[in-house]
Amino acid sequence: MAVVVPRNFRLLEELERGEKGFGDGTVSYGMEDGEDLEMTNWTGTIIGPPGTVHDGRIYTLRIHCGAHYPDQRPDVWFRSKVNMGCIDPRDGRVDSTKFPTLMQWRREYTLETILTELRRDMATSANRKLPQPPEGANF
């Protein structure tokens, strides 16, 4: 029988990983407010992949982990304007019906998983050459 890690312990693990840094530095995340004892609101950063219209751009995101995270997927919004097939152009929300990681959410997925997969999606043929809003524009 697998041990189910409680929400706050899981989020503490994610916070620790986010603070220490991981991977090649092209995605990162942390708490939006260090005083948020429920660890609900997070901020993320993605550096656009090379060889795409996103190359070198820095995108910021808002992530909301509800009371049932990680059993239920978080809500994710881009703060930086971006044109991608899975992003609602009105408010920057990542559409869970168009982004497989959120649509097929699994408890094992993490904030890092979401950011890494969004970055990977930027490099797909559907998104790599889409015209983009001016750099620095926000929702």
Side-chain angles (χ1 to χ4, degrees):
M1 183 166 107
V3 175
V4 176
V5 177
R7 176 188 183 277
N8 282 3
F9 290 164
R10 164 67 178 273
L11 286 170
L12 281 170
E13 289 173 3
E14 292 198 48
L15 178 60
E16 184 177 338
R17 182 162 170 83
E19 288 177 342
K20 285 184 177 178
F22 52 87
D24 60 5
T26 56
V27 299
S28 62
Y29 61 89
M31 294 290 304
E32 190 170 270
D33 175 4
E35 303 297 316
D36 178 6
L37 299 178
E38 296 296 318
M39 294 182 282
T40 302
N41 296 306
W42 296 71
T43 186
T45 303
I46 299 173
I47 298 175
T52 71
V53 294
H54 307 282
D55 192 351
R57 285 185 173 217
I58 299 173
Y59 296 100
T60 57
L61 298 90
R62 180 170 64 97
I63 305 164
H64 177 84
C65 296
H68 299 289
Y69 178 86
D71 294 314
Q72 293 178 0
R73 68 178 176 260
D75 293 314
V76 182
W77 296 263
F78 272 82
R79 286 189 168 132
S80 306
K81 282 203 171 186
V82 62
N83 184 16
M84 292 172 61
C86 64
I87 308 302
D88 186 325
R90 296 168 297 179
D91 64 1
R93 179 184 284 266
V94 179
D95 185 340
S96 63
T97 66
K98 296 179 181 176
F99 183 58
T101 303
L102 293 180
M103 183 171 44
Q104 301 162 2
W105 182 255
R106 295 171 42 184
R107 184 176 224 286
E108 303 83 51
Y109 292 168
T110 63
L111 303 180
E112 179 183 348
T113 305
I114 295 167
L115 296 172
T116 301
E117 291 304 313
L118 281 168
R119 185 173 190 271
R120 184 172 291 129
D121 199 46
M122 290 175 175
T124 63
S125 59
N127 292 312
R128 69 182 300 115
K129 296 186 185 225
L130 282 178
Q132 295 299 311
E135 197 162 353
N138 292 312
F139 284 103

